[in-house]
Amino acid sequence: METALPKFDSVFSIDCVIFGFEAGELKILLIERNEEPFKDWFALPGYIVEQDESIDDGAKRILYELTGLRNMPIKQLHTFGDVNRHPQGRVVTIAYFALIRISGQKDLTPITQYAKKAFWHPVKDLPKLAFDHTTIFETAFRRIRRRLNYQPIAFDLLPEKFTLTQLQSLYEVIQDKKLDKRNFRKKMLSYGFLKELSEKQKGVSYRAAKLYKFDRRKYNKIFQNELNIQTTE
Amino acid sequence: METALPKFDSVFSIDCVIFGFEAGELKILLIERNEEPFKDWFALPGYIVEQDESIDDGAKRILYELTGLRNMPIKQLHTFGDVNRHPQGRVVTIAYFALIRISGQKDLTPITQYAKKAFWHPVKDLPKLAFDHTTIFETAFRRIRRRLNYQPIAFDLLPEKFTLTQLQSLYEVIQDKKLDKRNFRKKMLSYGFLKELSEKQKGVSYRAAKLYKFDRRKYNKIFQNELNIQTTE
DNA sequence: ATTTAATGGTGTAAATCTCACACCTTATCT
DNA sequence: AGATAAGGTGTGAGATTTACACCATTAAAT
């Protein structure tokens, strides 16, 4: 038996749901905890916020310390504040989420001892997570599913240069439904914010596809008039 | 000079942005504070959460105590956690919002001494508010503006029986643009969730309009298949 | 009784968007 | 050369969106 853990009196923590896309699968970042409670469990990267940092800054710092990912473009998701969500007392957690390129990231090395490791795990077939982290994940997943329809978030998950097939399969994975190839391409290209490159895909054992880039400047120009693109929420 | 206020060490508060519609104007509920800091200022109804209540419960309690409104259907908006947003120390605030019927509410009497009074104020021409409450309001307003396009939130603001003109003018006020009368009516009626009553408007000095009701059961039946209607976020 | 003022209530046609649907092309591998 | 695997393309039907103007009804004023 271990000694009782200290009790918290009203603290806030951050938990991050970081999405990535790799090998045709949507994944999130998990850590393996190295601390009680829930020692050795898998969990979302999260920790307690300091007194003298904003929650946004804290979220970035915590994500960095637990996973080695610096300065990620995270956004606030939702705050979870049930009385008994944390066994050590009153811990209200502010959840953040981000969609990032897995490919561009070096290794995931926790800077602190609180996590043994950090790793990508497919969202299909997630293990049981510590605390109420499964609920937090589900909230985040619902959010990006909806948001996919009105914000260009897919491009954050893809490599800088991507094929239309990759883009389509990402949409299919997030929304869990098949899309029609011709209609999908027609629509995507009609927006006018995809830049066709002269390069082609490499290293595939079949006809190589054209590569495209997302042109954010054009996107902003096109959609600046449409009612309030939300950027921080 | 007054004595220094006590310093807070990591507490959470709730602030509520409660929208109403009256006399053709969109309004929110404000209180006049009766406590330092910002004594005598106008502010969103808000206070500090207790140790033993969830943030959702706390939000309902606080709204009740400050305005006399019981058991409102509030939803979480966003959490504001800049370090210096509260002069007394670290107070992270979780903002909630709701859209309600002004007409059905009795008087707004604060139960606690912390507010001198509570009252409706048009969102056009809001006064300077305490803390970062202006920012919180703006976030809430952006949220409902967007949401109006995909959720039936307008009916929460209207009386139970309303005319199509009232409904249209509410849309126009929230989105700050004129809509075409024929197209608006055609579309609203095409959804099939408005029930035409046999009653007519009363007490107007011109031709009385037909009254309608929002039929939530029908709405749910019609939209149950459409990807995840978000209810709690 | 008539007029005025104010809002209620209605339809159509053009343009755009959405959706369903199938085959040839290109590159690589054997 | 043939097999394999994905790349890439167009059309027509139906639904939705948009622009647009006039008569009807009621109460109040004269």
Side-chain angles (χ1 to χ4, degrees):
Chain A
M1 282 262 71
E2 46 187 311
T3 55
L5 296 166
K7 281 285 173 191
F8 290 129
D9 236 40
S10 186
V11 298
F12 358 98
S13 66
I14 297 291
D15 287 299
C16 299
V17 187
I18 310 297
F19 291 91
F21 183 61
E22 194 181 41
E25 283 189 309
L26 193 67
K27 301 185 175 180
I28 60 168
L29 253 183
L30 295 181
I31 61 164
E32 187 177 343
R33 286 177 60 87
N34 195 25
E35 251 201 353
E36 293 295 348
F38 292 101
K39 188 164 193 294
D40 305 322
W41 283 58
F42 294 146
L44 299 174
Y47 209 71
I48 290 169
V49 182
E50 299 290 342
Q51 286 290 314
D52 59 353
E53 64 186 353
S54 74
I55 56 175
D56 290 355
D57 291 346
K60 285 190 178 161
R61 174 185 61 78
I62 288 164
L63 182 61
Y64 167 60
E65 291 180 357
L66 288 166
T67 68
L69 295 180
R70 251 183 212 285
N71 209 25
M72 292 289 110
I74 52 177
K75 289 174 184 166
Q76 201 184 109
L77 172 65
H78 193 80
T79 296
F80 296 82
D82 278 355
V83 177
N84 294 314
R85 60 170 297 283
H86 194 298
Q88 270 170 282
R90 193 63 198 280
V91 182
V92 168
T93 199
I94 303 139
Y96 281 76
F97 74 103
L99 301 102
I100 69 172
R101 258 171 222 160
I102 292 186
S103 53
Q105 309 304 334
K106 19 237 142 236
D107 46 32
L108 301 169
T109 312
I111 313 301
T112 80
Q113 55 181 340
Y114 303 131
K116 286 190 212 163
K117 60 172 181 171
F119 58 98
W120 291 103
H121 195 288
V123 302
K124 291 278 172 220
D125 202 41
L126 276 185
K128 249 171 112 171
L129 300 179
F131 306 104
D132 52 357
H133 288 187
T134 299
T135 305
I136 297 175
F137 158 73
E138 286 164 355
T139 303
F141 193 31
R142 280 198 305 274
R143 177 79 58 96
I144 67 160
R145 248 185 196 211
R146 289 212 68 150
R147 190 165 291 204
L148 189 64
N149 291 313
Y150 53 87
Q151 303 235 330
I153 59 176
F155 308 105
D156 298 333
L157 291 167
L158 291 171
E160 202 194 346
K161 303 169 181 183
F162 51 86
T163 69
L164 292 178
T165 301
Q166 283 165 356
L167 182 61
Q168 180 176 345
S169 91
L170 176 52
Y171 271 76
E172 289 178 341
V173 166
I174 294 180
Q175 306 204 325
D176 195 24
K177 68 176 174 202
K178 290 296 276 177
L179 299 172
D180 178 85
K181 183 162 64 160
R182 277 179 290 191
N183 291 337
F184 181 81
R185 285 164 180 244
K186 200 186 331 163
K187 190 160 177 199
M188 274 296 158
L189 293 173
S190 77
Y191 290 134
F193 54 59
L194 291 184
K195 190 150 95 196
E196 184 179 331
L197 305 177
S198 44
E199 277 174 272
K200 294 203 164 176
Q201 213 176 8
K202 269 169 201 156
V204 290
S205 70
Y206 46 80
R207 175 176 176 186
K210 279 183 210 153
L211 290 169
Y212 290 82
K213 257 189 184 171
F214 173 60
D215 185 338
R216 195 171 294 276
R217 275 202 20 219
K218 269 198 191 149
Y219 175 84
N220 289 334
K221 211 175 283 179
I222 296 167
F223 290 101
Q224 68 189 347
N225 298 319
E226 309 226 345
L227 194 58
N228 272 330
I229 311 298
Q230 240 135 324
T231 53
T232 56
E233 301 164 42
Chain B
M1 280 264 77
E2 47 189 308
T3 54
L5 296 166
K7 280 287 174 191
F8 290 129
D9 235 39
S10 186
V11 298
F12 1 99
S13 66
I14 298 291
D15 288 298
C16 298
V17 187
I18 310 298
F19 291 91
F21 184 61
E22 193 180 41
E25 283 189 308
L26 193 66
K27 301 185 176 179
I28 60 169
L29 253 184
L30 295 181
I31 62 163
E32 186 177 343
R33 288 176 59 87
N34 195 25
E35 249 201 355
E36 293 294 349
F38 291 100
K39 189 165 192 300
D40 304 323
W41 282 58
F42 295 146
L44 299 175
Y47 209 71
I48 290 169
V49 182
E50 300 289 341
Q51 285 291 314
D52 59 353
E53 63 186 353
S54 74
I55 57 175
D56 290 356
D57 291 347
K60 286 191 177 160
R61 174 185 60 78
I62 288 164
L63 182 61
Y64 168 60
E65 292 181 354
L66 289 166
T67 68
L69 295 180
R70 253 182 211 284
N71 209 25
M72 292 290 111
I74 52 177
K75 289 174 185 168
Q76 201 185 108
L77 172 64
H78 191 81
T79 296
F80 296 83
D82 279 357
V83 176
N84 294 314
R85 60 170 297 283
H86 195 299
Q88 269 171 284
R90 193 64 199 280
V91 183
V92 168
T93 198
I94 302 139
Y96 282 75
F97 74 103
L99 301 102
I100 69 173
R101 258 171 222 159
I102 292 186
S103 54
Q105 309 305 334
K106 17 235 144 242
D107 47 31
L108 301 169
T109 311
I111 314 300
T112 80
Q113 55 182 339
Y114 303 131
K116 286 191 211 162
K117 60 171 181 173
F119 59 97
W120 291 103
H121 195 287
V123 303
K124 291 278 173 220
D125 200 40
L126 275 186
K128 248 171 112 171
L129 299 180
F131 306 104
D132 52 358
H133 287 187
T134 300
T135 305
I136 297 174
F137 159 72
E138 287 164 355
T139 302
F141 193 31
R142 279 198 304 274
R143 177 79 59 97
I144 68 160
R145 251 186 194 209
R146 290 213 65 151
R147 190 165 290 205
L148 188 64
N149 291 314
Y150 53 88
Q151 302 236 328
I153 60 176
F155 309 105
D156 297 335
L157 291 167
L158 291 171
E160 202 194 345
K161 303 170 182 183
F162 52 85
T163 69
L164 292 178
T165 301
Q166 283 164 357
L167 182 60
Q168 179 177 344
S169 90
L170 177 51
Y171 271 77
E172 290 177 341
V173 166
I174 294 180
Q175 307 203 326
D176 194 25
K177 70 177 175 202
K178 289 298 274 178
L179 300 171
D180 178 85
K181 183 162 64 161
R182 276 179 291 190
N183 291 339
F184 181 82
R185 284 163 181 244
K186 202 187 329 167
K187 189 159 178 200
M188 273 298 157
L189 293 173
S190 78
Y191 289 134
F193 53 59
L194 292 184
K195 191 149 95 197
E196 184 179 330
L197 304 177
S198 44
E199 277 174 273
K200 293 203 165 177
Q201 213 176 9
K202 270 170 199 155
V204 291
S205 71
Y206 47 80
R207 176 177 175 185
K210 279 183 210 153
L211 290 169
Y212 291 81
K213 257 190 185 171
F214 173 60
D215 186 338
R216 194 171 295 275
R217 274 199 24 218
K218 270 199 191 148
Y219 175 84
N220 290 333
K221 211 175 283 178
I222 295 167
F223 290 101
Q224 67 189 351
N225 299 318
E226 309 226 347
L227 192 59
N228 270 332
I229 310 298
Q230 240 135 323
T231 53
T232 56
E233 301 162 42

